[in-house]
Amino acid sequence: MKAYSLFIFFIAAAVQVSAQTYRLSGKITDESKKPVSFAAIYIRNTTYGSTANEDGDYEFRLNPGTYQVVYRYVGNLERTEKVTITNHDEVLNVTLANEPFVLQGEAGSGDEGNPAANIMRQVIAKREHYLNQTQEYSCAVFVKGVQRLTSAPKSLLGRDVRSVLQIDTTTKGIIYQSESLSQYNFRTPDRIREIMIASRTAGQNTAFSYNKASDLQVNFYQNSFEIQGLSTRPFVSPFANNAMSFYDYKLVGRSIKSGRRIDKIQVIPKRKHEAVYQGNVYVVEGDWRIYGIDLYLTKADANINFVDTLNISQQYIPVTDSTWMPTSTLFDFKGGVLGFKFKGYYLAIYNNYNLNPKFPEGFFNGEVMRIDTQANAKPTRYWANNRPVPLTNLEELDYKRKDSIAVIQSKPQYLDSVNRAQNGFNPISYFFFGKQLYDRKTRQSLYFYQPYQTIFYNTVEGWGVSAKVHYIKGFDNGQSFSVTPNIRYGFAAKLFSANLGLTYNYDPANQGAFSARFGSDVMDLNNAGTRSLLFNTLSSLLYENNYVKLYRTKFGVVAWQREVANGLLLNTQLSYADRRQLYNVSFNHIKDVPDKQYTANNPLSNPPEVETQLFPQNQALTARASLTFTFRQQYVTRPDGKYIEPSRYPKVRLNYRKGISGLLGSDVNYDFASLDVFDDRLKIGLVGFSSFKITAGTFLNHRSLYFMDYNHFFGNQGTVFNPTIGSFHFLDFYDYSTDRSFLEAHYEHNFAGNFLSKIPFVRKLKLEEVIGVNYLTQAQHTAYSGVGNNPLIQGVKSNYSEVYIGVQRFIFRVDYGIAFEGSRRIVQGIRIFYGLR
């Protein structure tokens, strides 16, 4: 019932369609008869408005009556027309005269210096007032996006490319369109909830996409804000508290609009290549508020991604005598890649503001977006009656063409042919990405892993094969069931392993899943993570570095997880394992490294090349539980399930692990607890973002446990590293593993190109600067006394730390770091990451 009420409210508020409404339409042009694209039109003393389309055409749905219709566009004189709607549609074409912004003799408000700077100081002084003036509101939002291909190299525009882009042989045309209708709800400072009632897309999105209201929430009263997808740097508002440090201002002129004096001020960056805008802003004198925005960013100066130029236009209207809100926001862009030239826009229109919505308690519950189950099923007639901006002729033809294509592509014969094509075999693709076979009718898929993850070498098994496939079955309600069998054989050790994993996602909306795995396997002593089969194979054969140490296990594991409340995820696991030590049996290499030999499979052997016993064969019954809390977790509810959004706040995770003695012959008896606090993207104003992870843990008792039961750390040995926060660059995989108390801390900051973007030539690479530090300390450190069956002894180990600097671009990253044990430098070098590890 609540969803139905929202639907009725939205339709009434957004488009005011009823049996008694009539259409007011026309064309808006300038003095030279050229269309005024995206001119704003609204009904005076209301918050009901619209925007002309790209060709200057507009239309309204109005009840019979007399209205004062206001036509506005930055750079043109505002015009008001008295319109009477009777019992038929009306056509009113309007010409907007060019607006003469005149510089008058006086400096303005008694300022003896730069009048523009004085005006901006007044606005900046009231910035916080206007930012917090409206504590909460709701409104109806229409969002429209169009991307057009303007030219393309014929050598690259083959039949397959034209088919994907759905364009004809002219190499021009619309490649993507989207429309959406939403109810947008806001409460200061940052609570939002959007209900999308209708959504429509056509074509391929090749640049970036903003198809929901929250994507276009641009507020220049904020000191800075990110433009999603275009840059990792936030851009400084011309009205920010510290704007005078980034901008110079020039008063272009003044004009009178609706009895108000409007100042047009040019915004000029003080320095090139900073995260700042260029263009003009329009300010209401006396009120010192924003009247309109006409700013832009360029790839050359602002170092933005995907596009060459982005123009941002925004117009405000009075909702009450003292409160003004945006009536429209326009992102207009153009760019090019590999010879393809494109342009486009995203337009948001805001209607029917309610500044006193009286949201019920609990309304802002973390759900930032809800997409109605029928949002994507609205017919063409619905859009013709409800969209506030008429389609251009080109857009209408493109919809008709792509709708016809969609009808063909929805037929079973076509879908079957696409399914067969997708299941075709490409050896190069298979080598790097594996191969997935999918049956659309039964929603079953079978994935074969890449060959480089299948064939391996290590000193314990020799050459080996790890054959693994992943089968998944999907259901209409979003549930899924998967099976992952794995067969592994080491030829030198003649060691055969086989295990089977099962997972049932029974409650996708709450991350609810049962899983089990049982069988035999060869596993890493460090369960926190070391090296992949591929990189361990390469380091062993090329450099005689057998970094990974392995053991044999026969095991069974059952696990369950579910969100017990929004933002509170519970994981539990019970496992039983029979474990025995393995020893080196193979010593192959492609290149013989002088004065180098393989180390023992016992990571604590002394000397390291001599095989010694690390642990006797044992059985372990182990229970685990973790509880992860995400502060103010946000999520999107779609017809196919619940999707967690990246958190703005740190997460906290409490872990507990118990070795249970006695039952099923289990030899372990210990209790371990740890606490993690972490965040992988903590925004730090204009200087980028930080990541951190702090973990403190202790063994509450350690009566009986073995090396694989210790707490292990995410170390790294070798040139290639994992950039995940919480990992080390140089830490030995096993040397610091402990059965005592410990504290580890990781901090990394990404400056988002703030420095390198100012260096010629380097700027074009769009590199991001990274600095970081990793730290580890332990109450006591476990060390091995010697060879044979000598017992483990406890020894004191100095604190371990790392500092590093680096640069990255997408999945590529290079770091240089130094590691210390206490105050003694122990290693330094370069570490790289390129998407594989």
Short mmCIF file of all heavy atoms in Angstrom, two decimals, residues 7-27:
data_model
loop_
_atom_site.label_atom_id
_atom_site.label_comp_id
_atom_site.label_asym_id
_atom_site.label_seq_id
_atom_site.Cartn_x
_atom_site.Cartn_y
_atom_site.Cartn_z
N PHE A 7 3.71 5.95 -5.55
CA PHE A 7 3.57 6.01 -7.00
C PHE A 7 2.55 7.08 -7.39
O PHE A 7 2.79 7.91 -8.28
CB PHE A 7 3.12 4.64 -7.52
CG PHE A 7 2.85 4.62 -9.01
CD1 PHE A 7 3.89 4.54 -9.90
CD2 PHE A 7 1.55 4.69 -9.49
CE1 PHE A 7 3.66 4.52 -11.26
CE2 PHE A 7 1.31 4.67 -10.85
CZ PHE A 7 2.35 4.59 -11.74
N ILE A 8 1.42 7.12 -6.72
CA ILE A 8 0.40 8.13 -7.01
C ILE A 8 0.92 9.52 -6.72
O ILE A 8 0.73 10.46 -7.50
CB ILE A 8 -0.88 7.84 -6.18
CG1 ILE A 8 -1.48 6.50 -6.61
CG2 ILE A 8 -1.88 8.96 -6.36
CD1 ILE A 8 -1.88 6.43 -8.08
N PHE A 9 1.63 9.67 -5.58
CA PHE A 9 2.19 10.98 -5.24
C PHE A 9 3.14 11.46 -6.32
O PHE A 9 3.11 12.62 -6.72
CB PHE A 9 2.93 10.90 -3.90
CG PHE A 9 3.85 12.07 -3.67
CD1 PHE A 9 3.36 13.28 -3.20
CD2 PHE A 9 5.20 11.95 -3.94
CE1 PHE A 9 4.21 14.34 -3.02
CE2 PHE A 9 6.05 13.01 -3.76
CZ PHE A 9 5.56 14.21 -3.29
N PHE A 10 3.99 10.57 -6.75
CA PHE A 10 5.01 10.98 -7.72
C PHE A 10 4.38 11.44 -9.03
O PHE A 10 4.73 12.48 -9.58
CB PHE A 10 5.98 9.82 -8.00
CG PHE A 10 6.99 10.20 -9.04
CD1 PHE A 10 8.11 10.91 -8.67
CD2 PHE A 10 6.79 9.89 -10.37
CE1 PHE A 10 9.04 11.31 -9.61
CE2 PHE A 10 7.71 10.29 -11.32
CZ PHE A 10 8.83 10.99 -10.94
N ILE A 11 3.46 10.65 -9.53
CA ILE A 11 2.86 11.01 -10.81
C ILE A 11 2.14 12.34 -10.71
O ILE A 11 2.26 13.21 -11.57
CB ILE A 11 1.88 9.91 -11.27
CG1 ILE A 11 2.67 8.62 -11.55
CG2 ILE A 11 1.12 10.33 -12.51
CD1 ILE A 11 3.77 8.80 -12.56
N ALA A 12 1.41 12.55 -9.60
CA ALA A 12 0.69 13.81 -9.43
C ALA A 12 1.65 14.98 -9.30
O ALA A 12 1.43 16.06 -9.85
CB ALA A 12 -0.22 13.73 -8.21
N ALA A 13 2.75 14.75 -8.57
CA ALA A 13 3.67 15.85 -8.30
C ALA A 13 4.58 16.15 -9.47
O ALA A 13 4.85 17.30 -9.78
CB ALA A 13 4.52 15.51 -7.07
N ALA A 14 5.05 15.12 -10.14
CA ALA A 14 6.06 15.33 -11.17
C ALA A 14 5.49 15.89 -12.45
O ALA A 14 6.09 16.76 -13.08
CB ALA A 14 6.77 14.01 -11.46
N VAL A 15 4.38 15.41 -12.87
CA VAL A 15 3.89 15.82 -14.19
C VAL A 15 2.48 16.40 -14.18
O VAL A 15 2.00 16.88 -15.19
CB VAL A 15 3.95 14.61 -15.15
CG1 VAL A 15 5.38 14.23 -15.42
CG2 VAL A 15 3.19 13.44 -14.60
N GLN A 16 1.81 16.36 -13.05
CA GLN A 16 0.48 16.95 -12.90
C GLN A 16 -0.47 16.52 -14.02
O GLN A 16 -1.15 17.31 -14.66
CB GLN A 16 0.59 18.48 -12.88
CG GLN A 16 1.39 19.00 -11.69
CD GLN A 16 1.36 20.51 -11.59
OE1 GLN A 16 0.89 21.20 -12.49
NE2 GLN A 16 1.86 21.02 -10.50
N VAL A 17 -0.44 15.23 -14.30
CA VAL A 17 -1.30 14.71 -15.34
C VAL A 17 -2.63 14.28 -14.75
O VAL A 17 -2.68 13.55 -13.78
CB VAL A 17 -0.64 13.49 -16.04
CG1 VAL A 17 -1.57 12.88 -17.06
CG2 VAL A 17 0.66 13.94 -16.71
N SER A 18 -3.70 14.77 -15.32
CA SER A 18 -5.03 14.33 -14.93
C SER A 18 -5.93 14.43 -16.16
O SER A 18 -5.51 14.86 -17.22
CB SER A 18 -5.57 15.21 -13.79
OG SER A 18 -5.87 16.50 -14.29
N ALA A 19 -7.17 14.04 -15.97
CA ALA A 19 -8.09 14.05 -17.12
C ALA A 19 -8.36 15.46 -17.61
O ALA A 19 -8.80 15.66 -18.74
CB ALA A 19 -9.39 13.37 -16.73
N GLN A 20 -8.09 16.52 -16.81
CA GLN A 20 -8.41 17.89 -17.18
C GLN A 20 -7.19 18.69 -17.63
O GLN A 20 -7.25 19.89 -17.79
CB GLN A 20 -9.08 18.62 -16.01
CG GLN A 20 -10.48 18.13 -15.69
CD GLN A 20 -10.47 16.84 -14.88
OE1 GLN A 20 -9.59 16.65 -14.05
NE2 GLN A 20 -11.41 15.95 -15.16
N THR A 21 -6.03 18.08 -17.80
CA THR A 21 -4.84 18.84 -18.16
C THR A 21 -4.74 19.00 -19.67
O THR A 21 -5.22 18.18 -20.45
CB THR A 21 -3.57 18.15 -17.65
OG1 THR A 21 -3.47 16.86 -18.25
CG2 THR A 21 -3.58 18.04 -16.14
N TYR A 22 -4.09 20.11 -20.05
CA TYR A 22 -3.86 20.40 -21.46
C TYR A 22 -2.40 20.78 -21.64
O TYR A 22 -1.70 21.17 -20.70
CB TYR A 22 -4.79 21.53 -21.93
CG TYR A 22 -6.25 21.16 -21.81
CD1 TYR A 22 -6.97 21.47 -20.65
CD2 TYR A 22 -6.90 20.46 -22.81
CE1 TYR A 22 -8.30 21.12 -20.52
CE2 TYR A 22 -8.23 20.09 -22.70
CZ TYR A 22 -8.93 20.42 -21.55
OH TYR A 22 -10.24 20.05 -21.42
N ARG A 23 -1.98 20.70 -22.89
CA ARG A 23 -0.56 20.88 -23.17
C ARG A 23 -0.26 22.30 -23.59
O ARG A 23 -0.91 22.85 -24.50
CB ARG A 23 -0.13 19.91 -24.27
CG ARG A 23 1.38 19.87 -24.45
CD ARG A 23 1.79 18.76 -25.39
NE ARG A 23 1.42 19.08 -26.76
CZ ARG A 23 2.06 18.63 -27.84
NH1 ARG A 23 3.09 17.82 -27.69
NH2 ARG A 23 1.67 18.95 -29.05
N LEU A 24 0.74 22.90 -22.93
CA LEU A 24 1.32 24.15 -23.38
C LEU A 24 2.69 23.81 -23.96
O LEU A 24 3.54 23.26 -23.27
CB LEU A 24 1.48 25.13 -22.21
CG LEU A 24 2.30 26.40 -22.53
CD1 LEU A 24 1.59 27.27 -23.57
CD2 LEU A 24 2.59 27.20 -21.25
N SER A 25 2.90 24.14 -25.23
CA SER A 25 4.14 23.77 -25.89
C SER A 25 4.60 24.90 -26.79
O SER A 25 3.88 25.87 -27.03
CB SER A 25 3.96 22.49 -26.71
OG SER A 25 3.00 22.68 -27.74
N GLY A 26 5.81 24.77 -27.27
CA GLY A 26 6.34 25.78 -28.18
C GLY A 26 7.82 25.61 -28.37
O GLY A 26 8.42 24.58 -27.99
N LYS A 27 8.43 26.64 -28.97
CA LYS A 27 9.86 26.61 -29.24
C LYS A 27 10.48 27.88 -28.70
O LYS A 27 9.92 28.97 -28.83
CB LYS A 27 10.11 26.50 -30.75
CG LYS A 27 11.55 26.15 -31.13
CD LYS A 27 11.66 25.99 -32.64
CE LYS A 27 13.00 25.36 -33.03
NZ LYS A 27 13.12 23.95 -32.63
#
